Amino acid sequence: EVRLVESGGGLVQPGGSLTLSCRGSGFGFSIAGMAWVRQAPGKKLEYVSSIAGNGGLIKYADSVKGRFTISRDNGKQKVYLQLHDLKPEDTAIYYCAINNRDYTPRGQGTQVTVSS
């Protein structure tokens, strides 16, 4: 059974930082492209970033480029997303997912709230 478990979300002030983690199990983690996506209240699911199984081919949405950094540790079966210079518009539930057209399956998500 594929399982993805995110952690690391929270409440942070504008300009602050967070690091999200996601542990995957039940599939070939080290060869799977992984993605982070997010969904803000009342909005559609939005692509944030992705990384190939070998850690190469990293991509970012324009809205987070230069502020977020994706990485992975295949030995720990984890993918990370470092969030810096956070803005109120980054507020959303962040999900890690296997990188495919529908970003499924996904984890349960972790809430990131950026507010003063």
Short mmCIF file of all heavy atoms in Angstrom, two decimals, residues 27-75:
data_model
loop_
_atom_site.label_atom_id
_atom_site.label_comp_id
_atom_site.label_asym_id
_atom_site.label_seq_id
_atom_site.Cartn_x
_atom_site.Cartn_y
_atom_site.Cartn_z
N PHE A 27 6.13 1.74 -2.11
CA PHE A 27 6.41 1.83 -3.55
C PHE A 27 7.91 2.06 -3.71
O PHE A 27 8.64 2.26 -2.75
CB PHE A 27 5.61 2.97 -4.19
CG PHE A 27 5.93 4.34 -3.69
CD1 PHE A 27 6.73 5.21 -4.41
CD2 PHE A 27 5.41 4.79 -2.48
CE1 PHE A 27 7.02 6.48 -3.94
CE2 PHE A 27 5.68 6.06 -2.00
CZ PHE A 27 6.50 6.90 -2.73
N GLY A 28 8.37 2.02 -4.94
CA GLY A 28 9.79 2.21 -5.24
C GLY A 28 10.19 3.66 -5.09
O GLY A 28 10.37 4.37 -6.09
N PHE A 29 10.35 4.12 -3.87
CA PHE A 29 10.58 5.53 -3.61
C PHE A 29 11.77 6.08 -4.38
O PHE A 29 11.69 7.15 -4.97
CB PHE A 29 10.78 5.77 -2.11
CG PHE A 29 10.91 7.21 -1.74
CD1 PHE A 29 9.80 7.98 -1.46
CD2 PHE A 29 12.17 7.81 -1.67
CE1 PHE A 29 9.92 9.32 -1.13
CE2 PHE A 29 12.31 9.15 -1.34
CZ PHE A 29 11.18 9.90 -1.07
N SER A 30 12.86 5.34 -4.41
CA SER A 30 14.10 5.88 -4.98
C SER A 30 14.04 6.07 -6.49
O SER A 30 14.88 6.77 -7.05
CB SER A 30 15.27 4.98 -4.62
OG SER A 30 15.10 3.70 -5.20
N ILE A 31 13.05 5.48 -7.15
CA ILE A 31 12.94 5.66 -8.60
C ILE A 31 11.72 6.50 -8.97
O ILE A 31 11.47 6.75 -10.15
CB ILE A 31 12.88 4.31 -9.34
CG1 ILE A 31 11.65 3.50 -8.89
CG2 ILE A 31 14.16 3.53 -9.14
CD1 ILE A 31 11.43 2.25 -9.74
N ALA A 32 10.98 6.95 -7.97
CA ALA A 32 9.75 7.71 -8.24
C ALA A 32 10.01 9.21 -8.22
O ALA A 32 10.61 9.73 -7.27
CB ALA A 32 8.69 7.35 -7.20
N GLY A 33 9.56 9.89 -9.25
CA GLY A 33 9.55 11.34 -9.19
C GLY A 33 8.53 11.77 -8.15
O GLY A 33 7.45 11.18 -8.06
N MET A 34 8.89 12.76 -7.36
CA MET A 34 8.01 13.23 -6.30
C MET A 34 7.70 14.70 -6.51
O MET A 34 8.49 15.45 -7.10
CB MET A 34 8.66 13.02 -4.93
CG MET A 34 8.96 11.58 -4.58
SD MET A 34 7.49 10.56 -4.48
CE MET A 34 6.65 11.31 -3.07
N ALA A 35 6.57 15.11 -6.01
CA ALA A 35 6.14 16.49 -6.17
C ALA A 35 5.54 17.01 -4.87
O ALA A 35 5.04 16.24 -4.05
CB ALA A 35 5.12 16.61 -7.29
N TRP A 36 5.60 18.31 -4.72
CA TRP A 36 4.83 19.01 -3.69
C TRP A 36 3.77 19.84 -4.43
O TRP A 36 4.09 20.53 -5.41
CB TRP A 36 5.71 19.93 -2.86
CG TRP A 36 6.58 19.21 -1.87
CD1 TRP A 36 7.87 18.81 -2.04
CD2 TRP A 36 6.21 18.79 -0.54
NE1 TRP A 36 8.33 18.18 -0.91
CE2 TRP A 36 7.34 18.17 0.03
CE3 TRP A 36 5.05 18.91 0.23
CZ2 TRP A 36 7.33 17.64 1.33
CZ3 TRP A 36 5.05 18.39 1.51
CH2 TRP A 36 6.18 17.77 2.05
N VAL A 37 2.56 19.73 -3.93
CA VAL A 37 1.46 20.53 -4.46
C VAL A 37 0.77 21.18 -3.27
O VAL A 37 0.97 20.76 -2.14
CB VAL A 37 0.48 19.68 -5.29
CG1 VAL A 37 1.16 19.14 -6.54
CG2 VAL A 37 -0.10 18.53 -4.47
N ARG A 38 -0.06 22.19 -3.52
CA ARG A 38 -0.74 22.85 -2.42
C ARG A 38 -2.15 23.26 -2.83
O ARG A 38 -2.42 23.42 -4.02
CB ARG A 38 0.04 24.06 -1.94
CG ARG A 38 0.13 25.20 -2.96
CD ARG A 38 1.06 26.30 -2.44
NE ARG A 38 1.13 27.43 -3.37
CZ ARG A 38 1.94 28.47 -3.21
NH1 ARG A 38 2.76 28.55 -2.16
NH2 ARG A 38 1.94 29.44 -4.11
N GLN A 39 -2.99 23.43 -1.85
CA GLN A 39 -4.36 23.86 -2.11
C GLN A 39 -4.77 24.88 -1.06
O GLN A 39 -4.83 24.57 0.13
CB GLN A 39 -5.33 22.69 -2.12
CG GLN A 39 -6.72 23.07 -2.59
CD GLN A 39 -7.55 21.87 -2.98
OE1 GLN A 39 -7.33 20.75 -2.50
NE2 GLN A 39 -8.51 22.08 -3.86
N ALA A 40 -5.02 26.08 -1.52
CA ALA A 40 -5.50 27.15 -0.65
C ALA A 40 -7.02 27.07 -0.57
O ALA A 40 -7.67 26.51 -1.47
CB ALA A 40 -5.07 28.50 -1.21
N PRO A 41 -7.60 27.63 0.48
CA PRO A 41 -9.07 27.59 0.63
C PRO A 41 -9.79 28.16 -0.59
O PRO A 41 -9.48 29.26 -1.05
CB PRO A 41 -9.31 28.46 1.86
CG PRO A 41 -8.05 28.39 2.63
CD PRO A 41 -6.96 28.30 1.61
N GLY A 42 -10.70 27.40 -1.14
CA GLY A 42 -11.49 27.85 -2.27
C GLY A 42 -10.77 27.85 -3.61
O GLY A 42 -11.31 28.34 -4.61
N LYS A 43 -9.55 27.31 -3.63
CA LYS A 43 -8.78 27.32 -4.88
C LYS A 43 -8.45 25.90 -5.33
O LYS A 43 -8.53 24.95 -4.55
CB LYS A 43 -7.49 28.13 -4.69
CG LYS A 43 -7.75 29.61 -4.45
CD LYS A 43 -6.47 30.42 -4.52
CE LYS A 43 -6.75 31.91 -4.39
NZ LYS A 43 -5.49 32.71 -4.48
N LYS A 44 -8.02 25.79 -6.58
CA LYS A 44 -7.66 24.49 -7.13
C LYS A 44 -6.29 24.05 -6.62
O LYS A 44 -5.50 24.86 -6.14
CB LYS A 44 -7.64 24.56 -8.66
CG LYS A 44 -9.00 24.81 -9.30
CD LYS A 44 -8.87 24.83 -10.81
CE LYS A 44 -10.23 25.05 -11.46
NZ LYS A 44 -10.15 25.08 -12.94
N LEU A 45 -6.05 22.77 -6.76
CA LEU A 45 -4.74 22.22 -6.42
C LEU A 45 -3.69 22.87 -7.32
O LEU A 45 -3.88 23.00 -8.53
CB LEU A 45 -4.76 20.71 -6.64
CG LEU A 45 -3.63 19.90 -6.03
CD1 LEU A 45 -3.72 19.91 -4.51
CD2 LEU A 45 -3.67 18.47 -6.56
N GLU A 46 -2.58 23.29 -6.72
CA GLU A 46 -1.54 24.02 -7.44
C GLU A 46 -0.20 23.30 -7.33
O GLU A 46 0.23 22.95 -6.22
CB GLU A 46 -1.42 25.44 -6.87
CG GLU A 46 -0.32 26.28 -7.47
CD GLU A 46 -0.09 27.58 -6.75
OE1 GLU A 46 -0.52 27.70 -5.58
OE2 GLU A 46 0.54 28.49 -7.32
N TYR A 47 0.46 23.11 -8.44
CA TYR A 47 1.81 22.54 -8.45
C TYR A 47 2.78 23.51 -7.80
O TYR A 47 2.72 24.72 -8.03
CB TYR A 47 2.22 22.28 -9.90
CG TYR A 47 3.68 21.98 -10.11
CD1 TYR A 47 4.16 20.67 -9.96
CD2 TYR A 47 4.58 22.98 -10.45
CE1 TYR A 47 5.50 20.38 -10.15
CE2 TYR A 47 5.92 22.70 -10.64
CZ TYR A 47 6.37 21.41 -10.50
OH TYR A 47 7.70 21.13 -10.69
N VAL A 48 3.69 22.97 -6.98
CA VAL A 48 4.70 23.79 -6.31
C VAL A 48 6.09 23.44 -6.81
O VAL A 48 6.84 24.31 -7.24
CB VAL A 48 4.62 23.62 -4.79
CG1 VAL A 48 5.75 24.39 -4.10
CG2 VAL A 48 3.27 24.08 -4.26
N SER A 49 6.44 22.15 -6.75
CA SER A 49 7.80 21.74 -7.10
C SER A 49 7.85 20.24 -7.31
O SER A 49 6.99 19.51 -6.83
CB SER A 49 8.76 22.14 -5.96
OG SER A 49 10.10 21.82 -6.29
N SER A 50 8.88 19.80 -8.04
CA SER A 50 9.06 18.36 -8.25
C SER A 50 10.53 18.04 -8.37
O SER A 50 11.35 18.90 -8.69
CB SER A 50 8.28 17.90 -9.49
OG SER A 50 8.69 18.62 -10.63
N ILE A 51 10.83 16.77 -8.14
CA ILE A 51 12.20 16.30 -8.18
C ILE A 51 12.21 14.86 -8.68
O ILE A 51 11.38 14.04 -8.30
CB ILE A 51 12.84 16.41 -6.77
CG1 ILE A 51 14.32 16.04 -6.79
CG2 ILE A 51 12.08 15.58 -5.74
CD1 ILE A 51 15.05 16.39 -5.49
N ALA A 52 13.16 14.55 -9.57
CA ALA A 52 13.25 13.20 -10.11
C ALA A 52 13.76 12.22 -9.05
O ALA A 52 14.30 12.62 -8.01
CB ALA A 52 14.17 13.20 -11.32
N GLY A 53 13.62 10.94 -9.34
CA GLY A 53 14.01 9.93 -8.38
C GLY A 53 15.47 9.99 -7.97
O GLY A 53 15.82 9.71 -6.80
N ASN A 54 16.34 10.36 -8.90
CA ASN A 54 17.77 10.44 -8.59
C ASN A 54 18.18 11.81 -8.04
O ASN A 54 19.36 12.09 -7.88
CB ASN A 54 18.60 10.11 -9.84
CG ASN A 54 18.37 11.11 -10.95
OD1 ASN A 54 17.61 12.06 -10.79
ND2 ASN A 54 19.02 10.89 -12.08
N GLY A 55 17.21 12.66 -7.77
CA GLY A 55 17.49 13.99 -7.22
C GLY A 55 17.75 15.04 -8.28
O GLY A 55 17.98 16.22 -7.95
N GLY A 56 17.74 14.65 -9.53
CA GLY A 56 17.94 15.61 -10.61
C GLY A 56 16.62 16.15 -11.10
O GLY A 56 15.57 15.93 -10.52
N LEU A 57 16.65 16.86 -12.20
CA LEU A 57 15.45 17.42 -12.85
C LEU A 57 14.52 18.05 -11.82
O LEU A 57 13.40 17.56 -11.56
CB LEU A 57 14.70 16.37 -13.66
CG LEU A 57 13.65 16.92 -14.64
CD1 LEU A 57 14.31 17.91 -15.61
CD2 LEU A 57 12.98 15.79 -15.40
N ILE A 58 14.96 19.10 -11.22
CA ILE A 58 14.18 19.84 -10.23
C ILE A 58 13.46 20.99 -10.93
O ILE A 58 14.05 21.71 -11.74
CB ILE A 58 15.09 20.36 -9.11
CG1 ILE A 58 15.57 19.19 -8.24
CG2 ILE A 58 14.38 21.41 -8.28
CD1 ILE A 58 16.60 19.58 -7.19
N LYS A 59 12.18 21.15 -10.59
CA LYS A 59 11.38 22.22 -11.17
C LYS A 59 10.60 22.93 -10.06
O LYS A 59 10.28 22.34 -9.04
CB LYS A 59 10.40 21.67 -12.21
CG LYS A 59 11.08 21.05 -13.42
CD LYS A 59 10.04 20.57 -14.43
CE LYS A 59 10.69 19.97 -15.66
NZ LYS A 59 9.68 19.51 -16.65
N TYR A 60 10.30 24.20 -10.33
CA TYR A 60 9.51 25.00 -9.39
C TYR A 60 8.44 25.79 -10.15
O TYR A 60 8.66 26.22 -11.29
CB TYR A 60 10.40 25.99 -8.64
CG TYR A 60 11.45 25.35 -7.78
CD1 TYR A 60 12.76 25.23 -8.22
CD2 TYR A 60 11.14 24.88 -6.50
CE1 TYR A 60 13.74 24.64 -7.44
CE2 TYR A 60 12.11 24.29 -5.70
CZ TYR A 60 13.41 24.17 -6.18
OH TYR A 60 14.36 23.58 -5.39
N ALA A 61 7.34 26.03 -9.48
CA ALA A 61 6.36 26.98 -10.00
C ALA A 61 6.98 28.37 -9.93
O ALA A 61 7.78 28.67 -9.03
CB ALA A 61 5.08 26.93 -9.17
N ASP A 62 6.60 29.23 -10.85
CA ASP A 62 7.15 30.59 -10.87
C ASP A 62 6.88 31.33 -9.56
O ASP A 62 7.69 32.14 -9.11
CB ASP A 62 6.56 31.39 -12.03
CG ASP A 62 7.10 30.94 -13.37
OD1 ASP A 62 8.14 30.26 -13.41
OD2 ASP A 62 6.47 31.28 -14.40
N SER A 63 5.75 31.02 -8.94
CA SER A 63 5.35 31.73 -7.73
C SER A 63 6.25 31.44 -6.52
O SER A 63 6.24 32.18 -5.55
CB SER A 63 3.90 31.38 -7.37
OG SER A 63 3.75 29.99 -7.19
N VAL A 64 7.03 30.35 -6.59
CA VAL A 64 7.87 30.00 -5.44
C VAL A 64 9.35 29.95 -5.80
O VAL A 64 10.19 29.76 -4.91
CB VAL A 64 7.45 28.63 -4.84
CG1 VAL A 64 5.95 28.63 -4.51
CG2 VAL A 64 7.81 27.48 -5.75
N LYS A 65 9.67 30.14 -7.06
CA LYS A 65 11.06 30.05 -7.51
C LYS A 65 11.92 31.06 -6.76
O LYS A 65 11.55 32.23 -6.63
CB LYS A 65 11.12 30.30 -9.01
CG LYS A 65 12.33 29.73 -9.72
CD LYS A 65 12.18 29.85 -11.23
CE LYS A 65 11.10 28.93 -11.75
NZ LYS A 65 10.99 28.97 -13.24
N GLY A 66 13.06 30.59 -6.25
CA GLY A 66 13.95 31.45 -5.51
C GLY A 66 13.65 31.52 -4.03
O GLY A 66 14.44 32.06 -3.25
N ARG A 67 12.49 31.00 -3.62
CA ARG A 67 12.11 31.03 -2.21
C ARG A 67 11.99 29.63 -1.61
O ARG A 67 12.23 29.44 -0.42
CB ARG A 67 10.77 31.76 -2.03
CG ARG A 67 10.79 33.20 -2.50
CD ARG A 67 9.48 33.91 -2.12
NE ARG A 67 8.30 33.30 -2.74
CZ ARG A 67 7.29 32.79 -2.03
NH1 ARG A 67 7.31 32.82 -0.71
NH2 ARG A 67 6.23 32.27 -2.66
N PHE A 68 11.61 28.65 -2.41
CA PHE A 68 11.44 27.28 -1.94
C PHE A 68 12.54 26.40 -2.53
O PHE A 68 13.00 26.63 -3.65
CB PHE A 68 10.08 26.73 -2.38
CG PHE A 68 8.87 27.35 -1.73
CD1 PHE A 68 8.99 28.47 -0.91
CD2 PHE A 68 7.61 26.81 -1.94
CE1 PHE A 68 7.87 29.04 -0.31
CE2 PHE A 68 6.49 27.37 -1.34
CZ PHE A 68 6.62 28.48 -0.54
N THR A 69 12.92 25.37 -1.77
CA THR A 69 13.93 24.41 -2.23
C THR A 69 13.46 22.99 -1.95
O THR A 69 13.14 22.66 -0.80
CB THR A 69 15.28 24.64 -1.53
OG1 THR A 69 15.72 25.98 -1.77
CG2 THR A 69 16.33 23.67 -2.06
N ILE A 70 13.43 22.17 -2.99
CA ILE A 70 13.04 20.77 -2.84
C ILE A 70 14.29 19.91 -2.79
O ILE A 70 15.29 20.22 -3.43
CB ILE A 70 12.11 20.33 -3.99
CG1 ILE A 70 11.46 18.98 -3.68
CG2 ILE A 70 12.85 20.30 -5.32
CD1 ILE A 70 10.35 18.59 -4.66
N SER A 71 14.24 18.84 -2.00
CA SER A 71 15.35 17.90 -1.94
C SER A 71 14.80 16.55 -1.50
O SER A 71 13.63 16.44 -1.10
CB SER A 71 16.43 18.38 -0.95
OG SER A 71 15.90 18.49 0.36
N ARG A 72 15.63 15.54 -1.57
CA ARG A 72 15.19 14.21 -1.15
C ARG A 72 16.36 13.43 -0.60
O ARG A 72 17.51 13.68 -0.94
CB ARG A 72 14.53 13.47 -2.30
CG ARG A 72 15.43 13.12 -3.45
CD ARG A 72 14.61 12.59 -4.63
NE ARG A 72 13.93 11.33 -4.30
CZ ARG A 72 12.89 10.85 -4.97
NH1 ARG A 72 12.38 11.54 -6.00
NH2 ARG A 72 12.34 9.69 -4.62
N ASP A 73 16.04 12.46 0.26
CA ASP A 73 17.00 11.52 0.82
C ASP A 73 16.42 10.13 0.59
O ASP A 73 15.55 9.69 1.33
CB ASP A 73 17.20 11.82 2.31
CG ASP A 73 18.26 10.94 2.95
OD1 ASP A 73 18.50 9.82 2.44
OD2 ASP A 73 18.82 11.36 3.97
N ASN A 74 16.89 9.46 -0.44
CA ASN A 74 16.33 8.16 -0.78
C ASN A 74 16.62 7.10 0.28
O ASN A 74 15.83 6.16 0.45
CB ASN A 74 16.83 7.71 -2.15
CG ASN A 74 16.18 8.48 -3.28
OD1 ASN A 74 15.14 9.12 -3.10
ND2 ASN A 74 16.80 8.45 -4.45
N GLY A 75 17.72 7.26 1.00
CA GLY A 75 18.02 6.33 2.08
C GLY A 75 16.98 6.37 3.18
O GLY A 75 16.67 5.35 3.80
#
